[in-house]
Amino acid sequence: MSTQHEIPSYLTPHEIGPWGVYLEQIDRVTPHLGSLARWVETLKRPKRILVVDVPIERDDGTIAHFEGYRVQHNTSRGPGKGGVRFHQDVTLSEVMALAAWMTIKNAAVNVPYGGAKGGIRVNPKLLSEGELMRMTRRYTSEINIIIGPTKDIPAPDVNTNEKVMAWMMDTYSMNQGSTASGVVTGKPISLGGSLGRHEATGRGVFVVGCEAAAKRGLDIRGARVAVQGFGNVGGIAARLFAEAGARIVAVQDHVATLVREGGIDIPALQAHSSAHGSIEGFSGADALKERSQFWEVDCDIMVPAALEQQITADNANRIRASIILEGANGPTTPAADDILHDKGVLIVPDVIANAGGVTVSYFEWVQDFSSFFWTEEEINLRLTRIMREAFAAIWQLAEEKQVSLRTAAFIVACTRVLRAREMRGLYP
Ligand code: NAD
């Protein structure tokens, strides 16, 4: 299915990219929305887009300018919520799609947030620590007018981490004149961060992966897992699968692709990656020269946990896994979705599979507001319960309606968002 969409004037047809993928996903769910379809246009237009110039003084005295974004896609169910990405390929289309997927994800797991996302078009690996801090602080000051603990709460995403969140929290607090720990999540524990947040997305991927495997009669012990992306999400998911007895037969990051039939030693790979900034050069596995061979690796579970639009019509046919767990946001294009569906591959969509991060971000925000902090055990128990319940509800709906898990997740989420929209009514 490929519908012609109205392209917003601020995107050229060439830039439609991930936003186009999202629009196609909305088209697929619309026939299932009944009378709420009347409101569906609201999901096809971001509520608010802020594009900012982020100038910094480089260490060598020159001035550099970066393009920054914060998009609030929808706030019908609560404040905006979504990460901030620092990457050289960030575009407005990408940030719009990521913000929209946050709206869907937050509604799919029923946390009381809308959807938002931010980013800076920069390769942060080329900045010094001081430059990174100045860029983060200036970006935060620029978007200060639309973020806040009850308005829009950023969090980490690709190439951002606890340290970046601490700078954002401090900059916002300095602008406000009071300490506002609830303005971001994914903070260091000492600043009101939550236990378990660092691992939450990877843990959620693992939890729903176990549920999906059970539905397919696949024993996790001995299951062969291939992971693309060895950062926060992929690295932690790989470790948890390995601890549960699975064999991690392939890992790919932005530099290298490693394979080992008997299973890669994940703690050793993590130590290597932390020391060298990449998995490249790790001696405990074989390196594949051709990156695209990753998709052909013989495995049971494939976890794309890097960037969007990785599984496309060009490589979907080569995939041998029976389950795809979308750790990344938007890793599979709609055309690839169809190919994989026809092959009988079970895709656990991003909006469920990687929702563990925002779920524990929600716990962090609640703990910050009440200034009362939970134990890691409590957090992991609540996270596991929410992930399992969300997966079970979507599985049941998919069976009832004979649709994919993605369409089922979108039906649940869009119904929640549009019902809220309908009940609130249009202002004025
Ligand atoms: P990260 O920066 O910690 O790690 C990204 C990893 O992807 C790195 O290992 C990097 O080498 C690898 N990578 C980058 N480009 C690649 C390429 N072209 N091919 C193969 N590997 C590549 O980022 P993260 O936080 O783990 O996020 C990964 C994905 O998960 C993103 O899509 C993000 O939006 C999504 N996500 C993250 C969170 C979170 O809490 N961090 C939550 C939900 C979804």
Side-chain angles (χ1 to χ4, degrees):
M1 176 163 72
S2 178
T3 322
Q4 283 302 311
H5 291 107
E6 189 187 335
I7 298 167
S9 61
Y10 42 82
L11 293 183
T12 65
H14 167 71
E15 285 173 330
I16 189 85
W19 179 246
V21 170
Y22 164 75
L23 290 180
E24 198 160 335
Q25 291 167 343
I26 292 296
D27 284 347
R28 287 177 180 216
V29 74
T30 303
H32 300 282
L33 296 178
S35 62
L36 288 173
R38 172 173 178 249
W39 295 92
V40 80
E41 192 65 23
T42 196
L43 294 171
K44 296 186 182 179
R45 293 163 190 270
K47 174 185 174 63
R48 188 176 286 131
I49 293 174
L50 184 59
V51 182
V52 295
D53 174 38
V54 185
I56 61 159
E57 186 171 347
R58 303 287 305 249
D59 293 344
D60 64 5
T62 59
I63 308 293
H65 290 257
F66 303 101
E67 197 166 292
Y69 311 93
R70 186 72 190 171
V71 174
Q72 293 169 352
H73 172 258
N74 189 288
T75 55
S76 295
R77 300 179 64 255
K81 182 92 190 82
V84 173
R85 177 175 294 194
F86 292 168
H87 195 277
Q88 59 276 15
D89 297 333
V90 164
T91 60
L92 179 55
S93 161
E94 180 182 67
V95 181
M96 285 164 61
L98 290 167
W101 285 321
M102 289 308 299
T103 301
I104 303 297
K105 187 184 306 181
N106 292 333
V109 290
N110 212 7
V111 291
Y113 293 129
K117 202 85 181 190
I120 304 181
R121 192 171 169 80
V122 60
N123 182 351
K125 297 190 169 83
L126 302 181
L127 299 186
S128 70
E129 171 102 351
E131 291 169 340
L132 187 66
M133 182 181 76
R134 293 196 289 283
M135 184 189 72
T136 303
R137 287 187 177 282
R138 181 61 187 254
Y139 168 71
T140 309
S141 279
E142 294 294 341
I143 64 166
N144 183 54
I145 48 174
I146 62 167
I147 62 170
T150 58
K151 289 158 83 177
D152 179 2
I153 306 111
D157 192 72
V158 174
N159 291 329
T160 55
N161 54 20
E162 290 187 354
K163 192 167 58 185
V164 172
M165 292 306 115
W167 290 331
M168 290 189 75
M169 179 269 206
D170 183 67
T171 307
Y172 179 85
S173 298
M174 288 295 125
N175 275 286
Q176 294 300 114
S178 61
T179 297
S181 55
V183 67
V184 292
T185 57
K187 298 179 294 293
I189 305 288
S190 55
L191 291 180
S194 177
L195 294 167
R197 172 61 185 93
H198 178 70
E199 297 208 336
T201 310
R203 184 173 294 281
V205 169
F206 168 70
V207 169
V208 294
C210 292
E211 299 297 298
K215 294 284 186 197
R216 279 284 163 109
L218 174 70
D219 192 345
I220 287 294
R221 280 165 304 161
R224 296 159 308 160
V225 180
V227 182
Q228 186 199 40
F230 200 62
N232 177 267
V233 181
I236 286 164
R239 200 197 79 219
L240 293 174
F241 275 116
E243 284 172 4
R247 271 184 289 149
I248 312 302
V249 293
V251 175
Q252 180 175 74
D253 74 356
H254 65 295
V255 184
T257 308
L258 301 178
V259 289
R260 189 171 189 200
E261 178 65 30
I264 299 172
D265 179 343
I266 294 301
L269 185 61
Q270 249 153 358
H272 176 96
S273 178
S274 308
H276 301 92
S278 163
I279 60 172
E280 189 182 34
F282 179 65
S283 57
D286 298 321
L288 293 182
K289 280 213 179 72
E290 183 51 57
R291 289 183 66 76
S292 68
Q293 282 179 302
F294 172 81
W295 305 109
E296 286 160 21
V297 168
D298 201 5
C299 62
D300 302 300
I301 301 177
M302 184 160 261
V303 188
L307 297 171
E308 58 273 8
Q309 291 182 285
Q310 296 296 301
I311 304 178
T312 65
D314 292 336
N315 59 19
N317 256 321
R318 292 151 65 187
I319 289 177
R320 292 152 89 173
S322 57
I323 297 174
I324 292 183
L325 281 177
E326 293 187 337
N329 286 307
T332 314
T333 65
D337 248 351
D338 292 342
I339 295 168
L340 291 163
H341 182 260
D342 291 347
K343 280 173 48 148
V345 177
L346 175 64
I347 302 180
V348 186
D350 48 5
V351 293
I352 290 297
N354 70 31
V358 75
T359 301
V360 177
S361 274
Y362 166 55
F363 298 163
E364 179 174 333
W365 184 71
V366 168
Q367 291 172 83
D368 285 338
F369 269 111
S370 58
S371 296
F372 180 76
F373 293 87
W374 312 344
T375 65
E376 189 159 1
E377 194 186 6
E378 277 175 295
I379 284 159
N380 288 343
L381 275 173
R382 287 178 203 245
L383 169 66
T384 302
R385 183 171 52 77
I386 288 179
M387 297 301 294
R388 283 191 181 145
E389 283 175 5
F391 180 86
I394 281 153
W395 183 273
Q396 195 185 339
L397 188 69
E399 295 231 303
E400 266 169 41
K401 295 207 173 269
Q402 286 297 299
V403 293
S404 68
L405 289 183
R406 190 183 318 279
T407 301
F410 269 67
I411 294 174
V412 169
C414 293
T415 301
R416 285 188 177 136
V417 176
L418 297 180
R419 197 170 280 148
R421 175 73 279 151
E422 185 173 61
M423 289 174 86
R424 287 177 66 160
L426 281 184
Y427 176 84

